[in-house]
Structure formats: C-alpha cells, structure tokens
Amino acid sequence: MRDVTDLDLRKLRVLRELSERGTVSAAARALHLTPQAVSQQISALGRELGVPLTEPSGRRLRLTGAARIVLRHADAVFTQVEQMRAELAAHGSGERGEVAVAGFSTTLSALILPAVARLRETRPLLRTSLAEVDPPESFSMLHRGETDVVISADAAGSVGEDPRFHRVALCEDPFDIALPEGHRLLDNPRLLLADLAEETWIFATTGLCHDIGVAACTAAGFTPQASHAIGDWDATLAAVRLGLGVALVPRMAKPAPRPEVTIRAFSEQAPSRTVFAAVREGSQTSPEIAAVLDALRTVARAAVAA
C-alpha cells in the first residue's frame, strides 16, 4: 500500500459522488465537471492509493471492492475535516464568516429570511447567502459543500437519520384547515379532522404535504375524496374560496389571507410535520453555523404560533 498522507480530498469527493450517482455522467453533472475529468480524478486517486477503483461493466464503470473500502472510511475523513474547520473557527471570535443556507419555498419566507434579519442585528459581520432548493437536491448540495445549512421537513415522528449530517429539530409545524365562507363548521367551538369526512378535499400535488394529509385522514377513520391537486398555497385558497373543497394548510406556509376563506386550527390531534435543519456532521460546533442554527430555532417558534 502506498503512502496516503498526501491524499487529495477532492478526488475522494469525486469517488463518493460516483458511488451515489451510479454513472460517470451523472456524477459529472452533479460536480459541474466533464465526464472525462471525473474519470481522470478517479484514475489518479487509484494511482495514489495503488489499487484500481473502477472496472468495466458493459458500457459503464463499476466500483471495485477496494473502492468500497475507501468509501467506508471517506465519511469519517470528511467528518474530521469539518470538526477541524469548526475548531479553527472557534479559535477566533466567531463574529465573522459566511454561511450558506438552502431551504424549500415555505421555509424561505417564514423561517430563513426572518433568521437572516435577526442575524443582521446580532452578528452584522456574519454574511449569509440563501438558495431556494427542494430536497433531495438541497442535501446533495450540503453533501458536496455547496451549502452549509439545509432546512427540510418530514412527517412527525418519522426517523430518517443520515450519518453524514447532523440534524437539529426546529419546530413542529401543524396543519390547519381552510374552509370557505358559510361552511357548516365555521362556528363550531370544537373541530376535529373526523368532522370533515364527507368533504371534498384539495391536496398538494405530490410530496410530503400530500402524503401527510392523506395519512391523517386515513388515521381519522375515512378515505378523503380528493377532487383537486394544487401545488401553490395561494391557488389552493382560491379554490377553497370558490367552494371547490377544503384543504389542509401547514401553518408555516402563511398564504395571503382571503376574505372569503377562514383558516382554523383543530381542537386536537392536528396533523403536523417536523421542520429541521441539517448540517454536515462535525460542522455544528462552528460558531458561525451555531449562530445560524440558534437564530433559526428562535424564529421557528414564532413561525408556527397560532
């Protein structure tokens, strides 16, 4: 085995990307490289380690057993690098630096932008850059080092841990119900999801909000009659206003109010999603990233207040 003290971490990242993407062309697109550059990087890494890392499989390349060994150690290597960066940052004041944050559209306006505004007051020398990106691409960006913090959500109580990332719970985001003007339940002092079993429903097109809504109705004892699938919350409320159905709306979405639509909280057992932040494992103690996480936790409570 050759000396690996001069191992190039960039080549390790290319190998890891090939393992995850499956093909040289897919890895090249993710890394913004040419397929030739990806192949050259992996070949060079193999020469540095003294072992072949790929072998032909039809028209593609597949990873060798030696490559699998290298990859088993790669995550630990990158975690150590992140911890080193965090400790170096902690050595200074932690007031300066730059942190990139990525999140899906709902979290951008309700959570990320208020957190950035708070940081401008508490840490004016800390720069933040923002990107509206949906999972799973946001996690790929985090994995590649193209962002530092990702805001995402999953169903309340679900477990989706990834050892590459450190996860920080921010809040539980309950779903409220949007009802049209004159609805029979508008003035009911007590409102349960089961009370809406006979309604026509408007759900999100696909994804987490759609799945949570359908699962919540099923758990409440009925199969919802879904008439429309709409991916925009303002358009969803427009459909509710027209009497096309009722809709579950995450509280963090905060769509523009409409005079002929009432959004009510459930009396109990409201469906919800867990909103969380994720950073690369080992980077969470960096003072800059810790400051961003603290700001996100603070504004998250206000974002879902009834």
Side-chain angles (χ1 to χ4, degrees), residues 132 159 168 242 303:
E132 181 181 334
V159 178
V168 177
L242 293 171

Side-chain angles (χ1 to χ4, degrees), residues 14 65 68 86 101 114 127 149 165-167 177 194 198 206 212 224 238-239 263 297 303:
V14 173
R68 300 294 177 189
V101 185
R127 297 177 57 193
V149 182
F165 307 128
H166 176 78
R167 173 171 163 157
I177 188 70
E198 302 303 319
T206 58
I212 288 176
I263 298 180
R297 275 191 292 258

Side-chain angles (χ1 to χ4, degrees), residues 89-269:
H91 185 66
S93 65
E95 293 296 325
R96 295 179 180 270
E98 183 169 347
V99 178
V101 185
F104 58 96
S105 58
T106 299
T107 62
L108 192 66
S109 57
L111 190 57
I112 300 174
L113 289 175
V116 169
R118 180 181 178 84
L119 286 167
R120 289 183 65 182
E121 297 179 357
T122 59
R123 296 208 176 195
L125 299 180
L126 179 60
R127 297 177 57 193
T128 52
S129 58
L130 315 177
E132 181 181 334
V133 188
D134 292 335
E137 179 56 29
S138 56
F139 284 93
S140 295
M141 290 174 59
L142 182 63
H143 184 44
R144 297 193 298 265
E146 295 173 4
T147 193
D148 301 303
V149 182
V150 161
I151 312 300
S152 188
D154 59 17
S158 66
V159 178
E161 298 295 333
D162 187 321
R164 299 172 301 173
F165 307 128
H166 176 78
R167 173 171 163 157
V168 177
L170 298 177
C171 63
E172 289 297 318
D173 184 19
F175 284 68
D176 299 321
I177 188 70
L179 303 172
E181 185 178 38
H183 193 276
R184 59 187 175 84
L185 296 176
L186 272 182
D187 298 323
N188 271 33
R190 179 176 169 82
L191 179 61
L192 301 177
L193 186 57
D195 298 333
L196 299 158
E198 302 303 319
E199 299 291 333
T200 299
W201 286 84
I202 303 165
F203 285 118
T205 49
T206 58
L208 185 64
C209 288
H210 172 275
D211 295 344
I212 288 176
V214 172
C217 293
T218 302
F222 66 95
T223 300
Q225 177 188 345
S227 61
H228 303 283
I230 302 175
D232 175 79
W233 294 118
D234 287 329
T236 295
L237 292 194
V240 172
R241 180 181 63 82
L242 293 171
L244 301 182
V246 300
L248 288 168
V249 181
R251 193 167 296 170
M252 190 175 286
K254 291 183 170 31
R258 293 177 179 270
E260 297 171 336
V261 175
T262 298
I263 298 180
R264 282 197 55 183
F266 290 103
S267 301
E268 59 183 65
Q269 298 179 331

